[in-house]
Amino acid sequence: MRSSVRLATATAAAALLIGCVSGPAASKPEPPKKAGEKVLVFSKTAGFRHDSIPTGVATVKELGAVNGFTVDATEDAGAFTAANLARYDAVVWLSTTGDVLNAAQQTAFEQYIRGGGAYVGVHAAADTEYDWPFYGGLAGAYFQSHPAIQPAKVHVEDHAHPATAHLGTGSWDRTDEWYNYRVNPRDRARVLATLDESSYTGGTMPGDHPIAWCQDYEGGRSFYTGGGHTKESYAEPAFRQHLLGGIRWAVGAAQADCRPEKGYTPIFDGTASSLQGWKQAGPGSLQLNEGDGTLKTVGGMGMLWYDRRELGSYSLKLDWRMRGDDNSGIFVGFPPSDDPWSAVNNGYEIQIDATDVPEKTTGSVYGFRSADLKKRDQALNPPGEWNTYEIRVEGERLRVYLNGVKVNDFTNTDPARSLRQGHIGIQNHGDADEVTFRNIRLKDLPAKGRPGRAGKDRAGTAGSGQDGPDGLGKVHPGKAVPMSDVTAHHSDPPAPTTGSGAGR
């Protein structure tokens, strides 16, 4: 932690608010979970058997050996007892098919998940246990059909989750067997990546075809990827990292926001054109890298602020990463100005620096209210890894979520500072500080105490205020294609006869 005065020329009052003077650290975040996690790979099949299973098992073992977690592998359903499952931080269902557990084993696994266990589903894990509704909800969606193996373009939606953070802003081009699913999981899971159905033939979920997602489920964690049919998949560095990231999140070695997300409008999407609604106030800058879609702080003390419109009730989400002991923050609720100190004196800063005193550390409303440090420490990823903030403003109430965990709940009572209307900005703190931002998105919320209204920016684009407060909306319906274009899976069961999609 640095102990020097960061801005000697600022007034004492301004320094109190913006964090230019550092003090002794009251609470350092806990280190990331140490090596010692244990993973069980389960690959029993009661239907079609993928010849890539041995390669997949070997790959998970290799990833564990390099990344500090132990891997056991089995095809014995007898491993699903309460006592045995308690030994593992996650169970990887690797291309399982059909009905692979009996009733007692299912009960043991349900109890394991509800007790905080984790599930990782790979490819045909979605072609498993159609008569077990708990499993269908845990996996997120059941398999319906697939076309022939072919190249396709994958679009990454979430660049902060460790399963997708390594992928760039362009499409992820790869060859695999691309599943169609019976339902769209978007309403209950965080979609990490989708398929571009125009890039291949045989897709049946046009407009919204998720292929990887995560969710918190009944006390546990669930990650699913539709990739992994071919042996060659497990030799691809990007796919190996994708699988590793899903496992790391599942066992709790990395954190991410896996709440469903819908209705957000990008206000910075990694392109130069999306910066047209932003202005730099004060010295320094934020440097654009279109290759990875990021903004990196350069110099300071300044701020890049969104000048297209003032905001009322809204949810702001953005991803950020620190290099080390670095300082930055997100400002909300300030009037338009080319002077960054106007945001200091009239708005509120949500801090990023994790080494300062409680009311000035990560998740805190700087100088006004500390974050819940225990929750903050559990939710925070270390320097070098991505974190996601949701900053939710409704009336004078401001809530801060770090990687999906609420770490602060603050209500403004200062008549000189109102959160009901204002701008947002991201800080470039100084030469010694390097913080990177990406994927900044915004969603209007109904105004407190009066009918909801979506604001309009200066270009006349309406904000999205249609979804409920948790961003839930309707499933994107798919449409059927001729079966001549789609190959049914070898173990494809009959179409479900119930509305839940869980029965045969």
Side-chain angles (χ1 to χ4, degrees):
M1 175 187 156
R2 294 188 294 272
S3 59
S4 60
V5 176
R6 302 195 184 191
L7 190 65
T9 59
T11 65
L16 172 66
L17 296 177
I18 202 167
C20 306
V21 180
S22 59
S27 171
K28 284 198 172 186
E30 295 177 356
K33 194 171 183 181
K34 299 298 184 182
E37 294 91 1
K38 197 165 185 179
V39 172
L40 176 66
V41 179
F42 180 57
S43 54
K44 180 180 178 180
T45 55
F48 178 77
R49 184 168 182 84
H50 286 74
D51 63 6
S52 61
I53 286 175
T55 306
V57 171
T59 297
V60 177
K61 289 183 175 180
E62 291 167 8
L63 294 174
V66 173
N67 293 280
F69 57 90
T70 303
V71 179
D72 293 334
T74 187
E75 298 205 352
D76 180 6
F80 283 73
T81 66
N84 190 56
L85 291 173
R87 301 168 54 221
Y88 298 99
D89 297 282
V91 180
V92 179
W93 291 57
L94 181 67
S95 283
T96 51
T97 55
D99 296 328
V100 290
L101 300 184
N102 65 29
Q105 293 158 355
Q106 291 175 357
T107 297
F109 191 62
E110 289 184 17
Q111 293 172 344
Y112 165 76
I113 293 295
R114 292 183 173 122
Y119 163 91
V120 174
V122 179
H123 193 57
D127 187 28
T128 303
E129 293 289 354
Y130 289 89
D131 294 318
W132 183 14
F134 177 90
Y135 182 86
L138 179 68
Y142 282 122
F143 162 83
Q144 183 177 56
S145 62
H146 67 77
I149 296 171
Q150 60 191 296
K153 294 184 181 296
V154 179
H155 170 67
V156 175
E157 291 192 14
D158 188 322
H159 286 93
H161 194 285
T164 46
H166 62 293
L167 301 170
T169 56
S171 63
W172 182 20
D173 298 340
R174 57 182 310 271
T175 298
D176 215 319
E177 180 184 76
W178 303 111
Y179 275 9
N180 300 304
Y181 301 96
R182 295 184 176 189
V183 296
N184 189 314
R186 186 177 293 276
D187 279 352
R188 53 195 173 277
R190 174 68 170 124
V191 174
L192 305 177
T194 58
L195 284 173
D196 177 358
E197 289 197 350
S198 70
S199 68
Y200 73 104
T201 59
T204 64
M205 303 172 71
D208 190 26
H209 190 148
I211 197 62
W213 53 82
C214 62
Q215 61 175 321
D216 295 311
Y217 188 79
E218 296 200 16
R221 288 184 170 188
S222 168
F223 167 81
Y224 172 82
T225 178
H229 172 85
T230 66
K231 294 179 181 177
E232 292 77 12
S233 296
Y234 299 97
E236 297 174 32
F239 183 78
R240 289 169 67 95
Q241 185 63 38
H242 174 63
L243 182 57
L244 172 63
I247 294 172
R248 290 189 67 239
W249 174 80
V251 301
Q255 308 305 318
D257 189 348
C258 283
R259 297 174 298 164
E261 182 174 312
K262 289 186 72 176
Y264 285 81
T265 299
I267 58 175
F268 169 68
D269 63 6
T271 63
S273 60
S274 66
L275 288 175
Q276 293 178 4
W278 296 78
K279 290 180 67 176
Q280 178 69 27
S285 64
L286 280 102
Q287 184 180 73
L288 172 66
N289 182 338
E290 287 195 272
D292 62 6
T294 62
L295 289 169
K296 184 177 73 174
T297 61
V298 178
M301 175 77 63
M303 180 181 67
L304 184 69
W305 62 287
Y306 187 61
D307 79 328
R308 183 155 289 179
R309 63 184 175 104
E310 288 191 317
L311 304 172
S313 290
Y314 58 92
S315 169
L316 170 69
K317 288 191 177 184
L318 72 167
D319 306 330
W320 55 269
R321 179 180 64 190
M322 295 186 297
R323 175 188 56 184
D325 178 13
D326 295 293
N327 192 301
S328 182
I330 296 93
F331 283 89
V332 299
F334 58 90
S337 176
D338 290 329
D339 179 5
W341 293 96
S342 175
V344 176
N345 295 322
N346 298 287
Y348 288 104
E349 178 187 5
I350 312 305
Q351 181 59 272
I352 285 177
D353 179 11
T355 61
D356 216 325
V357 294
E359 70 273 14
K360 302 177 184 179
T361 189
T362 310
S364 295
V365 181
Y366 190 89
F368 291 90
R369 183 178 178 87
S370 170
D372 182 319
L373 297 181
K374 183 177 180 180
K375 290 182 178 179
R376 189 283 309 268
D377 291 351
Q378 292 172 343
L380 180 64
N381 287 321
E385 296 187 18
W386 287 96
N387 291 277
T388 298
Y389 264 159
E390 180 189 7
I391 300 171
R392 194 178 190 89
V393 176
E394 294 176 282
E396 298 291 359
R397 186 182 184 188
L398 187 161
R399 283 172 284 178
V400 180
Y401 295 80
L402 174 63
N403 295 323
V405 177
K406 186 170 75 171
V407 297
N408 209 330
D409 195 336
F410 169 77
T411 299
N412 171 56
T413 58
D414 183 351
R417 298 171 183 267
S418 177
L419 287 165
R420 292 186 179 277
Q421 201 77 6
H423 288 270
I424 60 173
I426 53 177
Q427 182 189 51
N428 53 296
H429 192 277
D431 289 329
D433 297 295
E434 183 180 303
V435 176
T436 306
F437 297 92
R438 67 179 174 189
N439 195 19
I440 306 176
R441 60 265 196 209
L442 187 66
K443 176 177 172 179
D444 288 296
L445 302 175
K448 287 284 186 179
R450 59 184 184 273
R453 59 183 178 85
K456 286 193 175 183
D457 63 23
R458 294 176 188 172
T461 302
S464 173
Q466 299 177 35
D467 288 329
D470 293 319
L472 301 179
K474 295 181 178 179
V475 173
H476 293 247
K479 65 180 182 181
V481 297
M483 286 307 294
S484 59
D485 296 336
V486 180
T487 302
H489 201 285
H490 293 267
S491 59
D492 193 14
T497 58
T498 67
S500 67
R504 293 203 171 196

